[in-house]
Amino acid sequence: MSLQSEFAHAERAALVTVVEGELVGAKLLVRADGRSEGTLGDPDLDARALAAAEELMWTERSEKRGELFVDVTFPPPRLIAFGAVDYAADLCTLARATGWRSYVVDPRGRFATRERFPNADDVVAAWPEKAFAQLGGIDRATYIAVLTHDPKLDDAALDIALRSDAPYIGAMGSRRAQAKRRERLAALGFGDEDQARIAAPIGLDLGGLTSEETALSIMAEVVAVRNGRDGGRLSSARGRIHEVGA
Protein backbone atom coordinates (compact mmCIF):
# COMPACT_ATOMS: atom_id res chain seq x y z
CA MET A 1 0.00 0.00 0.00
CA SER A 2 1.73 3.20 -1.16
CA LEU A 3 0.12 6.42 -0.06
CA GLN A 4 2.10 8.61 -2.43
CA SER A 5 1.41 6.49 -5.50
CA GLU A 6 -2.29 5.99 -4.69
CA PHE A 7 -3.17 9.60 -4.06
CA ALA A 8 -0.38 11.65 -5.67
CA HIS A 9 -1.43 14.59 -3.47
CA ALA A 10 -4.97 14.48 -4.88
CA GLU A 11 -6.62 13.41 -1.62
CA ARG A 12 -6.04 14.22 2.03
CA ALA A 13 -5.06 11.05 3.89
CA ALA A 14 -2.47 9.52 6.19
CA LEU A 15 -0.65 6.22 6.02
CA VAL A 16 0.42 5.03 9.46
CA THR A 17 3.19 2.43 9.59
CA VAL A 18 4.60 0.58 12.60
CA VAL A 19 8.38 1.14 12.51
CA GLU A 20 9.40 -0.43 15.82
CA GLY A 21 8.53 -3.56 17.79
CA GLU A 22 6.94 -6.88 16.92
CA LEU A 23 4.42 -5.40 14.48
CA VAL A 24 6.96 -3.62 12.27
CA GLY A 25 5.61 -3.07 8.76
CA ALA A 26 1.91 -3.10 9.64
CA LYS A 27 0.03 -0.29 7.92
CA LEU A 28 -3.22 1.61 8.37
CA LEU A 29 -4.56 4.05 5.79
CA VAL A 30 -6.79 6.82 7.17
CA ARG A 31 -8.83 9.13 4.93
CA ALA A 32 -10.05 12.64 5.68
CA ASP A 33 -13.66 11.48 6.08
CA GLY A 34 -12.62 9.08 8.85
CA ARG A 35 -12.68 5.89 6.78
CA SER A 36 -9.72 3.58 7.26
CA GLU A 37 -8.22 0.56 5.54
CA GLY A 38 -6.01 -2.08 7.11
CA THR A 39 -4.95 -2.58 10.71
CA LEU A 40 -1.79 -2.35 12.78
CA GLY A 41 -2.67 -5.61 14.49
CA ASP A 42 -3.56 -4.13 17.86
CA PRO A 43 -6.71 -2.17 18.81
CA ASP A 44 -4.80 0.30 21.00
CA LEU A 45 -2.29 0.99 18.23
CA ASP A 46 -5.13 1.46 15.74
CA ALA A 47 -6.78 3.99 18.06
CA ARG A 48 -3.51 5.92 18.51
CA ALA A 49 -2.90 5.81 14.78
CA LEU A 50 -6.36 7.18 14.00
CA ALA A 51 -5.90 10.07 16.45
CA ALA A 52 -2.45 10.95 15.12
CA ALA A 53 -3.60 10.68 11.51
CA GLU A 54 -6.58 12.95 12.13
CA GLU A 55 -4.31 15.58 13.67
CA LEU A 56 -1.40 15.45 11.26
CA MET A 57 -3.29 15.21 7.97
CA TRP A 58 -4.75 18.65 8.74
CA THR A 59 -1.56 20.19 10.08
CA GLU A 60 -0.01 18.72 6.92
CA ARG A 61 3.04 17.22 8.59
CA SER A 62 4.52 13.74 8.37
CA GLU A 63 5.86 12.76 11.78
CA LYS A 64 7.07 9.86 13.91
CA ARG A 65 4.89 9.26 16.95
CA GLY A 66 6.52 6.65 19.18
CA GLU A 67 6.66 3.40 17.23
CA LEU A 68 4.39 4.85 14.52
CA PHE A 69 5.31 6.87 11.46
CA VAL A 70 2.48 8.96 10.06
CA ASP A 71 2.98 9.81 6.39
CA VAL A 72 0.47 12.41 5.20
CA THR A 73 -0.54 13.54 1.76
CA PHE A 74 -2.82 16.42 0.89
CA PRO A 75 -3.94 18.56 -2.04
CA PRO A 76 -2.88 22.21 -2.23
CA PRO A 77 -4.85 24.46 0.12
CA ARG A 78 -7.89 26.30 -1.24
CA LEU A 79 -8.49 30.03 -1.25
CA ILE A 80 -12.06 31.10 -2.00
CA ALA A 81 -12.45 34.75 -2.94
CA PHE A 82 -16.03 35.89 -2.51
CA GLY A 83 -16.53 38.82 -4.85
CA ALA A 84 -15.66 38.99 -8.56
CA VAL A 85 -13.58 42.16 -8.19
CA ASP A 86 -10.16 43.23 -9.45
CA TYR A 87 -8.56 42.29 -6.14
CA ALA A 88 -9.83 38.75 -6.63
CA ALA A 89 -8.20 38.47 -10.04
CA ASP A 90 -4.83 39.53 -8.65
CA LEU A 91 -5.32 37.26 -5.65
CA CYS A 92 -5.91 34.28 -7.95
CA THR A 93 -2.73 35.11 -9.86
CA LEU A 94 -0.71 35.12 -6.63
CA ALA A 95 -2.43 31.98 -5.36
CA ARG A 96 -1.50 30.06 -8.48
CA ALA A 97 2.09 31.35 -8.31
CA THR A 98 2.39 30.10 -4.72
CA GLY A 99 0.85 26.68 -5.35
CA TRP A 100 -2.64 27.31 -3.97
CA ARG A 101 -5.96 26.45 -5.59
CA SER A 102 -8.14 29.52 -5.94
CA TYR A 103 -11.85 29.96 -6.59
CA VAL A 104 -14.00 33.02 -7.22
CA VAL A 105 -17.61 33.11 -6.04
CA ASP A 106 -20.14 35.82 -6.87
CA PRO A 107 -23.87 35.57 -7.63
CA ARG A 108 -23.52 38.34 -10.22
CA GLY A 109 -23.03 36.33 -13.39
CA ARG A 110 -21.99 39.30 -15.50
CA PHE A 111 -18.89 39.69 -13.31
CA ALA A 112 -18.18 36.07 -12.36
CA THR A 113 -16.75 34.82 -15.67
CA ARG A 114 -13.77 32.63 -16.52
CA GLU A 115 -12.51 35.30 -18.91
CA ARG A 116 -12.05 37.76 -16.05
CA PHE A 117 -10.31 35.21 -13.80
CA PRO A 118 -8.07 33.07 -16.00
CA ASN A 119 -5.88 32.00 -13.05
CA ALA A 120 -8.75 30.76 -10.89
CA ASP A 121 -9.29 27.00 -10.67
CA ASP A 122 -13.00 27.68 -10.97
CA VAL A 123 -15.47 30.57 -11.04
CA VAL A 124 -18.91 29.99 -9.56
CA ALA A 125 -21.76 32.40 -10.29
CA ALA A 126 -24.04 31.58 -7.36
CA TRP A 127 -25.00 32.68 -3.87
CA PRO A 128 -22.69 31.45 -1.09
CA GLU A 129 -24.78 28.51 0.12
CA LYS A 130 -25.05 26.97 -3.33
CA ALA A 131 -21.52 27.95 -4.37
CA PHE A 132 -19.81 26.52 -1.29
CA ALA A 133 -21.81 23.31 -1.66
CA GLN A 134 -20.73 23.09 -5.30
CA LEU A 135 -17.11 23.49 -4.22
CA GLY A 136 -17.39 20.65 -1.72
CA GLY A 137 -18.00 22.68 1.41
CA ILE A 138 -15.55 24.50 3.67
CA ASP A 139 -13.01 22.37 5.50
CA ARG A 140 -9.94 23.03 7.65
CA ALA A 141 -7.81 23.70 4.57
CA THR A 142 -10.17 26.26 3.01
CA TYR A 143 -9.36 29.95 3.44
CA ILE A 144 -12.00 32.60 2.79
CA ALA A 145 -11.50 36.18 1.53
CA VAL A 146 -14.67 38.31 1.38
CA LEU A 147 -14.13 41.22 -0.98
CA THR A 148 -17.36 42.64 -2.41
CA HIS A 149 -18.03 45.69 -0.16
CA ASP A 150 -21.75 44.88 -0.58
CA PRO A 151 -23.35 44.04 2.81
CA LYS A 152 -26.02 41.74 1.43
CA LEU A 153 -23.37 39.70 -0.40
CA ASP A 154 -20.58 39.87 2.20
CA ASP A 155 -22.89 39.02 5.10
CA ALA A 156 -24.29 36.01 3.27
CA ALA A 157 -20.77 34.65 2.78
CA LEU A 158 -19.68 35.43 6.34
CA ASP A 159 -22.78 33.80 7.78
CA ILE A 160 -21.72 30.50 6.21
CA ALA A 161 -17.97 30.90 6.75
CA LEU A 162 -18.38 31.61 10.48
CA ARG A 163 -20.35 28.38 10.89
CA SER A 164 -17.57 26.38 9.20
CA ASP A 165 -14.12 25.05 10.12
CA ALA A 166 -12.32 27.60 7.93
CA PRO A 167 -8.99 28.49 9.58
CA TYR A 168 -9.02 31.95 8.01
CA ILE A 169 -11.85 34.35 7.22
CA GLY A 170 -10.83 37.78 5.96
CA ALA A 171 -13.13 40.65 5.06
CA MET A 172 -12.41 43.85 3.19
CA GLY A 173 -13.75 47.24 4.23
CA SER A 174 -12.96 50.41 6.14
CA ARG A 175 -13.02 50.46 9.93
CA ARG A 176 -16.38 52.23 9.80
CA ALA A 177 -17.72 49.53 7.48
CA GLN A 178 -16.35 46.87 9.83
CA ALA A 179 -18.20 48.43 12.77
CA LYS A 180 -21.49 48.34 10.87
CA ARG A 181 -20.78 44.76 9.83
CA ARG A 182 -20.24 43.74 13.44
CA GLU A 183 -23.69 45.09 14.30
CA ARG A 184 -25.28 43.15 11.45
CA LEU A 185 -23.48 39.93 12.38
CA ALA A 186 -24.47 40.36 16.01
CA ALA A 187 -28.08 40.55 14.84
CA LEU A 188 -27.51 37.20 13.11
CA GLY A 189 -26.40 35.70 16.42
CA PHE A 190 -22.61 35.94 16.12
CA GLY A 191 -20.97 37.02 19.35
CA ASP A 192 -17.58 38.61 19.98
CA GLU A 193 -15.77 35.27 19.96
CA ASP A 194 -17.26 34.34 16.60
CA GLN A 195 -16.47 37.71 15.08
CA ALA A 196 -12.91 37.63 16.40
CA ARG A 197 -12.29 34.94 13.76
CA ILE A 198 -12.66 37.56 11.03
CA ALA A 199 -9.45 39.25 9.89
CA ALA A 200 -10.79 42.71 9.21
CA PRO A 201 -9.57 44.83 7.60
CA ILE A 202 -8.15 41.97 5.56
CA GLY A 203 -4.43 41.58 4.85
CA LEU A 204 -1.08 42.47 6.38
CA ASP A 205 0.02 46.06 6.81
CA LEU A 206 2.28 46.39 3.76
CA GLY A 207 1.22 49.94 2.92
CA GLY A 208 0.06 48.74 -0.49
CA LEU A 209 -1.98 51.06 -2.70
CA THR A 210 -2.60 49.18 -5.95
CA SER A 211 -4.84 46.21 -6.55
CA GLU A 212 -1.79 44.00 -6.96
CA GLU A 213 -0.24 45.22 -3.70
CA THR A 214 -3.54 44.75 -1.86
CA ALA A 215 -3.75 41.19 -3.17
CA LEU A 216 -0.18 40.62 -2.01
CA SER A 217 -1.06 41.75 1.52
CA ILE A 218 -4.03 39.37 1.58
CA MET A 219 -2.05 36.43 0.23
CA ALA A 220 0.75 37.14 2.69
CA GLU A 221 -1.69 37.06 5.61
CA VAL A 222 -3.26 33.83 4.38
CA VAL A 223 0.14 32.13 4.07
CA ALA A 224 1.17 33.40 7.51
CA VAL A 225 -1.99 31.99 9.10
CA ARG A 226 -1.53 28.65 7.38
CA ASN A 227 1.98 28.43 8.81
CA GLY A 228 1.03 29.60 12.29
CA ARG A 229 2.82 32.93 11.99
CA ASP A 230 1.73 36.53 12.54
CA GLY A 231 3.42 37.91 9.43
CA GLY A 232 6.02 40.10 11.18
CA ARG A 233 9.45 40.90 9.81
CA LEU A 234 12.00 38.08 9.96
CA SER A 235 14.67 40.54 11.09
CA SER A 236 12.63 41.05 14.27
CA ALA A 237 11.77 37.39 14.81
CA ARG A 238 13.38 35.08 17.35
CA GLY A 239 14.00 31.38 16.97
CA ARG A 240 14.08 29.34 13.79
CA ILE A 241 13.05 30.85 10.46
CA HIS A 242 11.75 27.49 9.24
CA GLU A 243 10.36 24.58 11.20
CA VAL A 244 12.45 21.42 11.20
CA GLY A 245 10.51 18.46 9.86
CA ALA A 246 10.31 15.08 11.50
Side-chain angles (χ1 to χ4, degrees), residues 137-212:
I138 302 173
D139 60 23
R140 285 175 277 174
T142 301
Y143 297 68
I144 309 292
V146 179
L147 310 173
T148 73
H149 286 294
D150 185 330
K152 69 178 179 294
L153 300 179
D154 283 2
D155 292 357
L158 290 170
D159 185 27
I160 295 174
L162 285 170
R163 301 178 195 278
S164 77
D165 292 328
Y168 174 88
I169 305 167
M172 188 168 280
S174 67
R175 298 194 187 280
R176 178 179 297 180
Q178 303 292 347
K180 292 180 178 179
R181 177 185 290 136
R182 285 193 293 272
E183 294 177 1
R184 296 193 305 271
L185 291 176
L188 292 174
F190 294 107
D192 292 342
E193 185 175 348
D194 296 317
Q195 296 198 40
R197 295 177 59 199
I198 304 174
I202 194 171
L204 296 184
D205 183 11
L206 304 184
L209 298 175
T210 65
S211 174
E212 294 86 354

Side-chain angles (χ1 to χ4, degrees), residues 14-106:
L15 181 64
V16 186
T17 304
V18 180
V19 294
E20 296 176 5
E22 296 180 357
L23 298 171
V24 166
K27 297 179 184 295
L28 176 68
L29 176 65
V30 184
R31 302 173 188 269
D33 61 5
R35 291 180 297 130
S36 62
E37 299 173 18
T39 178
L40 301 182
D42 179 273
D44 290 336
L45 271 185
D46 283 348
R48 286 172 47 203
L50 287 168
E54 168 67 15
E55 173 191 345
L56 293 173
M57 76 171 68
W58 290 104
T59 58
E60 300 177 347
R61 291 173 56 91
S62 295
E63 192 172 288
K64 186 174 181 291
R65 293 285 181 90
E67 66 269 60
L68 306 178
F69 182 72
V70 185
D71 184 18
V72 303
T73 189
F74 47 89
R78 297 191 304 167
L79 175 61
I80 299 179
F82 187 80
V85 297
D86 289 343
Y87 298 118
D90 293 319
L91 194 54
C92 290
T93 299
L94 288 173
R96 172 158 292 191
T98 50
W100 287 57
R101 295 173 292 159
S102 64
Y103 302 83
V104 176
V105 171
D106 197 310

